[in-house]
Amino acid sequence: MLSYCDDMPYAQTMFPNILGHKTREDAEAGAEYLLISVAESLLGGDCNPEIRMLGCSVLAPRCEKEKVLKPCRSTCEAVRRRCSRTFDKIQMAWPYFLDCDRFFVSDQEGCYDPLEGLRGQEEEEAADGLDILLTADSPDTLQFTYHSNTDLISVLKKTEEQCSGIARTYSIGRSMEGRELLVIEFSNNPGEHELLEPEVKYIGNMHGNEVLGRQLLIYLAQHLCSEYLLGNERIQTLINTTRIHILPSMNPDGYEMAVSGVSDNNYDFEQDQRYDSWNIGRNNAQNIDLNRNFPDLTSIVYSRRRQKGYRTDHILIPDYYWFGKVAPETYAVMKWVRSIPFVLSANFHGGDLVVSYPYDLSKHPLGGEMFCPTPDDKVFKFIAATYANAHETMSNENARCGSSRTHSQKGIVNGAQWSSLAGGMQDFNYLHTNCFEVTVNVGCDRFPPEEDLAFAWHENQESLLSFMEAAHRGIKGIVKDEEGNAIKGARISVRGIQHDITTAENGDYWRLLTPGIHIVSASAQGYTRATKKIQLPSRMKTAGRVDFVLPKAPVDSDAQEEDNAISSMGTYDKFDPYNQYQRYTQMADLSQNQEERAEKPWWWNYFALPGVPSPTWLLKQY
């Protein structure tokens, strides 16, 4: 009756089992059964189903003539020799209930082989020959089923392991309920920013019930890994020249709620009585819509637009924002985008088929829909169209769906003209950092059936690659002083575009631009401005190199006073100035478990359940 043990090569079991569980319910409630039920995900598919069947032979042993038989020690020892390294990789101790000496016996004592049925199956598969061998360890074995949060982390960890030379996983923080916000990075030098190499990010599942983008980003990570290993020149060039960051789920708590809502919803009710579940899981565990939770810098820009020389870049976060209800997921992403010099970004939503670009907030006095372009409207239309045009159907007028269909043109739409919102993530990226972000709505159905996943991957695969390649459009370069020292924070200005970007730590910059003639200048406090005229051809595939050398400026008391006035208004480096994070997140276990969490492996949260003794036997230090 144990569902994860129903393919054992025998028909009957008996309780108490070898571990002393008196009933099936006792066995199902234990951490031992939980472990074998998630073993495939945790171990990345390795040693499965051997570990599961070995565990089942202890939890639901073979029963003959009203006697419990124990499994063979030799089988257990063989599996342990082959699989202990897999457990070591995820920092998990060999499970106590698979102790070969305690729970398994010798052939002389009348044991049975728990893998008997599996061996017969392996012999049949071996007859199929080479095809099995080629796909067995391939990271591109895409599973077109929905991945739980456990599955998601396991896939990213396995991909990191299989492509260790070009892939790395890292956490940017935790959700309200403590789930890891895990990013996988691809680069020919993972973990480090390389001079003049643009940084790109993809974020999925910001709304927990919009799940297709989450799946596409999981598939993309596997695809990049496998194609790089197979020698795909396009993928190798992309990864060798770009640093790619993928966060498949920004709202894992919402995803959990959405999955529960879909499975619990009763579709047998009459239509007018049926519970409308479309919104379950959209928000985070605090019921905050993460795409309304970022600082509203767009309103600040609108309020200053009549001031002489007003700017639309590197707008400071107002102090009052920190005293509002800021989600831990929002905080984590804000710190992330400030810590890496991202050039280009997309976040993935569902419920429509269109790419939306800034501004998201309308400047209409009553908040009505109104076309509100940024100073970089041409660039945003170009990068939005890059995704839409490479998509199988998005730019087709007949493919329109959702509320965007009355406003979109060839698969792209200005956010404020479509549906005005304040506190959106794409406006924050543009107005606070150097990053140009768009919002990709990848399908009319927020939670499409699993049978649609393969087709959706086929539709979006080319778009996902083309969009990242667009990070190489425009210009890049290094700003130095006359002694050859890099100038951090120098401003790169383009005449006619009232939006500057700034140089990174090593003085390098990337400026997305459309083809044509541009007047570009570099400036920094204490230096004389330098200006160059450039021409970008229409078919340019790589960024043009435009370096600047800035001479020291003569001492100017008026300029010094202006610099002092600017600094008195606050600096860009000021982030969370009142250290409000721990107070406003209200994460009860944040401080008490912070040290403990740092010591526990990534999979621990899946076993440390409330009201249940923690299985410390899974931890190596125990």
Side-chain angles (χ1 to χ4, degrees):
M1 297 292 289
L2 294 173
S3 59
Y4 285 97
C5 301
D6 62 4
D7 57 349
M8 294 300 289
Y10 47 84
Q12 289 185 316
T13 188
M14 188 174 183
F15 290 94
N17 62 17
I18 297 174
L19 294 183
H21 296 137
K22 294 181 179 178
T23 64
R24 174 175 61 85
E25 289 75 17
D26 287 346
E28 284 182 333
E32 298 87 355
Y33 186 65
L34 175 60
L35 175 61
I36 65 170
S37 69
V38 297
E40 181 176 10
S41 299
L42 288 178
L43 303 176
D46 292 341
C47 294
N48 189 73
E50 293 97 324
I51 291 294
R52 178 173 58 79
M53 298 178 84
L54 210 61
C56 285
S57 70
V58 175
L59 292 169
R62 172 180 279 178
C63 170
E64 286 183 4
K65 297 178 182 178
E66 297 187 3
K67 181 183 177 183
V68 167
L69 302 183
K70 288 189 176 181
C72 292
R73 185 186 302 136
S74 57
T75 302
C76 175
E77 289 171 344
V79 172
R80 181 163 187 173
R81 277 194 303 271
R82 195 168 75 80
C83 297
S84 10
R85 190 164 166 240
T86 304
F87 279 82
D88 289 341
K89 285 178 183 175
I90 63 168
Q91 299 178 313
M92 181 181 282
W94 184 258
Y96 84 94
F97 66 96
L98 299 184
D99 186 318
C100 302
D101 293 324
R102 288 175 62 191
F103 303 111
F104 298 79
V105 297
S106 65
D107 295 344
Q108 290 80 5
E109 296 172 85
C111 71
Y112 69 96
D113 182 0
L115 307 186
E116 175 189 345
L118 178 62
R119 292 208 168 91
Q121 182 183 343
E122 285 176 345
E123 287 171 6
E124 290 178 18
E125 291 175 349
D128 293 335
L130 188 60
D131 289 341
I132 299 287
L133 298 174
L134 286 175
T135 59
D137 295 316
S138 171
D140 195 31
T141 309
L142 303 184
Q143 295 182 1
F144 292 108
T145 57
Y146 283 112
H147 289 65
S148 67
N149 286 316
T150 309
D151 296 336
L152 184 155
I153 289 178
S154 297
V155 167
L156 297 190
K157 294 282 184 181
K158 184 177 181 182
T159 303
E160 174 189 36
E161 179 188 329
Q162 290 173 320
C163 284
S164 57
I166 58 163
R168 176 183 75 110
T169 60
Y170 63 95
S171 173
I172 62 168
R174 289 185 179 272
S175 67
M176 181 64 192
E177 294 181 340
R179 294 183 174 91
E180 199 94 59
L181 301 178
L182 194 68
V183 176
I184 186 165
E185 167 202 340
F186 290 92
S187 166
N188 61 347
N189 192 13
E192 292 185 31
H193 170 70
E194 294 187 75
L195 195 68
L196 293 171
E197 187 171 285
E199 310 249 4
V200 177
K201 63 181 165 71
Y202 276 151
I203 297 177
N205 207 202
M206 187 181 196
H207 289 146
N209 66 335
E210 296 172 10
V211 299
L212 182 53
R214 167 192 173 107
Q215 287 301 132
L216 293 176
L217 295 185
I218 294 171
Y219 302 149
L220 176 63
Q222 293 176 285
H223 181 72
L224 291 174
C225 173
S226 62
E227 290 299 304
Y228 192 97
L229 295 179
L230 290 170
N232 183 319
E233 288 187 18
R234 181 187 185 188
I235 300 298
Q236 289 184 340
T237 299
L238 179 63
I239 290 175
N240 291 340
T241 61
T242 319
R243 192 175 176 211
I244 300 162
H245 306 256
I246 300 172
L247 173 63
S249 182
M250 181 180 168
N251 187 3
D253 299 348
Y255 178 80
E256 288 290 328
M257 287 186 276
V259 171
S260 301
V262 169
S263 60
D264 293 345
N265 199 26
N266 188 348
Y267 286 94
D268 294 331
F269 290 164
E270 293 294 329
Q271 184 65 31
D272 59 343
Q273 295 178 314
R274 180 172 64 82
Y275 177 62
D276 187 0
S277 67
W278 77 268
N279 211 26
I280 295 176
R282 174 184 173 88
N283 297 346
N284 81 335
Q286 297 165 289
N287 200 28
I288 293 174
D289 185 331
L290 299 180
N291 206 32
R292 311 289 190 280
N293 194 230
F294 285 81
D296 175 16
L297 306 183
T298 322
S299 293
I300 295 175
V301 168
Y302 290 160
S303 69
R304 295 175 180 173
R305 68 183 185 274
R306 290 187 177 87
Q307 297 177 9
K308 184 180 179 181
Y310 85 102
R311 302 235 55 84
T312 66
D313 58 84
H314 299 86
I315 307 294
L316 302 182
I317 298 172
D319 285 356
Y320 61 78
Y321 170 78
W322 297 109
F323 294 91
K325 196 173 183 182
V326 183
E329 298 90 345
T330 310
Y331 186 93
V333 168
M334 286 197 294
K335 285 196 74 173
W336 184 39
V337 301
R338 285 171 53 93
S339 66
I340 295 173
F342 290 113
V343 177
L344 185 62
S345 172
N347 76 84
F348 293 83
H349 291 246
D352 218 306
L353 191 65
V354 70
V355 181
S356 161
Y357 57 90
Y359 289 124
D360 255 340
L361 179 66
S362 171
K363 60 184 174 186
H364 190 285
L366 299 179
E369 295 162 355
M370 178 180 178
F371 177 64
C372 297
T374 67
D376 280 289
D377 190 55
K378 288 182 179 179
V379 174
F380 274 115
K381 285 178 177 174
F382 169 76
I383 59 177
T386 298
Y387 195 99
N389 292 341
H391 189 277
E392 292 264 322
T393 59
M394 192 178 286
S395 61
N396 186 334
E397 301 295 320
N398 298 326
R400 291 179 178 181
C401 66
S403 59
S404 76
R405 61 183 179 272
T406 56
H407 301 288
S408 63
Q409 293 184 332
K410 294 185 177 180
I412 69 172
V413 66
N414 175 258
Q417 188 176 21
W418 172 22
S419 179
S420 177
L421 64 94
M425 185 164 66
Q426 69 178 13
D427 281 13
F428 173 79
N429 271 267
Y430 180 67
L431 295 175
H432 188 65
T433 76
N434 289 335
C435 188
F436 286 50
E437 180 171 280
V438 298
T439 301
V440 181
N441 291 266
V442 288
C444 309
D445 193 343
R446 288 181 171 83
F447 208 132
E450 284 188 335
E451 54 264 32
D452 291 352
L453 293 179
F455 181 67
W457 166 246
H458 176 73
E459 279 192 318
N460 287 274
Q461 181 180 338
E462 176 58 32
S463 295
L464 290 164
L465 299 177
S466 296
F467 185 85
M468 290 189 289
E469 291 169 336
H472 296 273
R473 299 297 293 260
I475 60 173
K476 65 181 178 181
I478 303 174
V479 180
K480 297 181 178 181
D481 62 19
E482 291 178 303
E483 297 176 353
N485 300 312
I487 302 177
K488 175 190 174 183
R491 284 185 170 271
I492 305 299
S493 308
V494 181
R495 186 176 298 174
I497 301 178
Q498 208 159 10
H499 184 91
D500 295 349
I501 57 100
T502 55
T503 55
E505 193 76 34
N506 298 319
D508 48 346
Y509 76 89
W510 307 261
R511 200 354 168 153
L512 297 177
L513 290 171
T514 53
I517 296 173
H518 302 279
I519 308 297
V520 184
S521 60
S523 59
Q525 287 187 20
Y527 296 90
T528 301
R529 176 186 295 265
T531 302
K532 295 185 178 184
K533 181 179 180 180
I534 63 166
Q535 180 172 2
L536 299 178
S538 58
R539 297 185 181 276
M540 203 167 178
K541 292 294 180 75
T542 58
R545 180 75 180 266
V546 183
D547 294 338
F548 291 93
V549 176
L550 303 186
K552 284 279 187 182
V555 178
D556 185 331
S557 57
D558 292 337
Q560 188 65 45
E561 286 179 16
E562 185 180 340
D563 290 345
N564 292 336
I566 291 172
S567 62
S568 69
M569 295 167 61
T571 66
Y572 182 79
D573 291 336
K574 185 171 71 169
F575 183 70
D576 191 5
Y578 303 104
N579 196 25
Q580 294 293 305
Y581 178 59
Q582 291 194 18
R583 184 183 71 81
Y584 66 60
T585 56
Q586 299 175 353
M587 289 177 70
D589 59 345
L590 181 65
S591 56
Q592 65 188 32
N593 288 347
Q594 201 165 31
E595 185 177 344
E596 179 183 289
R597 277 181 173 161
E599 295 173 356
K600 297 289 192 295
W602 57 270
W603 42 261
W604 177 249
N605 281 338
Y606 301 107
F607 295 94
L609 303 175
V612 179
S614 297
T616 52
W617 42 267
L618 286 173
L619 298 170
K620 279 185 169 291
Q621 62 265 39
Y622 287 82

